[in-house]
Amino acid sequence: MASEDPDRLSADDARILALESAEITGHTLKLIVLEPDTGPLDLDALRSSVAARLPGRPRARQRVDTSGPEPRWVDADDFEISDHVRRLAEPACVSRADLWRAVSKLMSERLDHDRPLWTIDVIGPLGDGREAIAVRIHHAMADGITAVRFLDAVLWDPHPYPDSGKVARPGIRSAAAKRSWFAEARRMPGAVWRELVSRGSRSPFDHPIGVSREVAFTVAPLAELKSIGKSRPDHTTVNDVLLAIVAGGVRRWLGESAAGLPRLRAQVPVSLHHRTESAGEFGNRDSFLNIDLPLGETDPLERLDRIARETRERKLLGDAEELYDLFHALGRTKHLGSAVERLAGSAREFSLSISNVPGPAVPVGVAGRRVEHLFSSSEPAAHHALRIAAISCAGSMGIGLCTDPATLPDVARLAAAIDDSYTELRRAAIG
């Protein structure tokens, strides 16, 4: 919903900013792996290119001012591009493990609130001549869709890929958003029951977290994910296939303890950018669905079919849209809205978040070098110590895993288990 004051943080963005704590940094990270080259990326040229593309993106040169009654975007008068586009001082970063450690460190470090809430860190060259770029963006500035827009606006070389957000005309609000919170609550008992009352198994990730982060990444071919979905009798989406692969990977990772978790609930963010805005806007427009991952099911195809049936039903019922409107209506009564948000975010409601954002549909590059892989990493939360984020790019899907290693160590083993789960499902579906 648009604010009357364009520089005041929206209710969604302000709520996300308020989630920061001693343990939560509040940002997402996009990891870009570039093809090998004969020399390192020209940092000065990259800075000049990014700086030249910022004027059309005012939030990129603004910081958040929290000195008043409500947080607002204000111009960062001392903005220096060198503070935001940098080469990471990791001289020994030559292997994949080194890269993952460097990214883990960036995930645990806070963005400076005295500056605009984004950074671009160049990492490498690695031992094979490739380089990586880690882009951090605070969630108060962008959700998954708008983070992709940010990359398209300031980083990718010019390309024929249209902006990811073909949305409805700006300013159009649903009728539900105009109703009173009481009328809104009365029309939504089904969505509330399905998403907030019907609970899954206890969560194996229900632990407090600290400030440390550990990441791991894996890749799956997008064409094969689509082929797996098309092989099923009913319409099965790429996101359903992703959830089934993750379910199989978590089942392997947990081992014998998975037997006591027949239904592990995953919260799946759903973008609603198409409803109320123009494609160029930043900010957050997300709702969610809570989907049961059938860890107790041994057959990978049956796991996929059960997930697909559930997501298909929830989409037809419009649960994500109804919850978004409900939360915004309840948000007008501060204490009630906060209570419902605490319920929705509790470990009793879901165990882990699994997001999937569409990235560039065609090959893209940075400074003339092709992007080989694109990954996303989102931080875990208290009592949700594992976070999984996927993003597509030109024929592949990058899957990023993030944990607190003191609570859930060896996340690289989960990445390997997801690889094995993908292989198992592909063989069962398409041979």
Side-chain angles (χ1 to χ4, degrees), residues 13 42 87 176 183 404 416:
D13 298 346
D42 186 330
R87 182 171 289 278
D404 171 5

Side-chain angles (χ1 to χ4, degrees), residues 31 84-89 106 109 119-123 132-136:
L31 179 63
H84 295 270
V85 182
R86 315 167 305 189
R87 182 171 289 278
L88 194 65
L106 287 171
E109 293 178 352
T119 60
I120 296 175
D121 286 284
V122 180
I123 307 172
I133 299 175
V135 182
R136 287 182 295 165

Side-chain angles (χ1 to χ4, degrees), residues 119-308:
T119 60
I120 296 175
D121 286 284
V122 180
I123 307 172
L126 306 178
D128 58 6
R130 295 186 300 170
E131 284 186 275
I133 299 175
V135 182
R136 287 182 295 165
I137 309 172
H138 200 289
H139 264 301
M141 177 178 167
D143 61 14
I145 293 294
T146 46
V148 171
R149 292 178 185 166
F150 182 79
L151 296 179
D152 194 58
V154 308
L155 193 60
W156 300 148
D157 293 338
H159 62 89
Y161 170 59
D163 188 272
S164 61
K166 286 191 175 181
V167 296
R169 288 175 294 151
I172 303 299
R173 295 174 55 195
S174 69
K178 301 177 183 178
R179 297 187 178 107
S180 70
W181 71 265
F182 181 70
E184 197 71 5
R186 287 189 62 187
R187 86 178 181 94
M188 298 183 175
V192 170
W193 175 263
R194 289 184 294 272
E195 306 299 339
L196 301 180
V197 179
S198 179
R199 293 170 175 169
S201 307
R202 63 180 176 82
S203 172
F205 313 125
D206 182 5
H207 303 288
I209 63 170
V211 298
S212 296
R213 299 290 177 261
E214 185 175 20
V215 301
F217 303 97
T218 188
V219 180
L222 197 56
E224 292 199 0
L225 298 182
K226 292 178 179 179
S227 294
I228 292 170
K230 290 177 181 177
S231 73
R232 309 312 299 146
D234 297 314
H235 179 63
T236 302
T237 68
V238 167
N239 201 59
D240 295 333
V241 177
L242 170 66
L243 294 177
I245 290 168
V246 169
V250 171
R251 173 186 167 87
R252 291 167 179 264
W253 190 48
L254 293 177
E256 293 181 0
S257 60
L261 301 169
R263 295 190 306 122
L264 187 73
R265 290 200 102 191
Q267 188 164 100
V268 181
V270 176
S271 174
L272 299 180
H273 278 275
H274 62 282
R275 299 201 329 169
T276 60
E277 65 169 38
S278 63
E281 290 186 38
F282 283 174
N284 290 266
R285 300 290 189 281
D286 276 354
S287 185
F288 65 87
L289 298 173
N290 285 331
I291 302 297
D292 289 325
L293 304 184
L295 299 197
E297 176 56 60
T298 59
D299 183 340
L301 293 178
E302 181 59 26
R303 277 200 300 268
L304 172 58
D305 291 343
R306 286 171 60 178
I307 289 169

Side-chain angles (χ1 to χ4, degrees), residues 380-404:
H383 306 290
H384 299 92
L386 170 65
R387 187 77 176 266
I388 300 178
I391 188 168
S392 59
C393 181
S396 66
M397 177 176 286
I399 304 170
L401 320 171
C402 188
T403 67
D404 171 5

Side-chain angles (χ1 to χ4, degrees), residues 361-385:
V362 299
V364 291
V366 178
R369 291 173 62 175
R370 186 176 64 86
V371 173
E372 283 193 347
H373 297 298
L374 175 63
F375 300 100
S376 184
S377 180
S378 295
E379 65 180 336
H383 306 290
H384 299 92

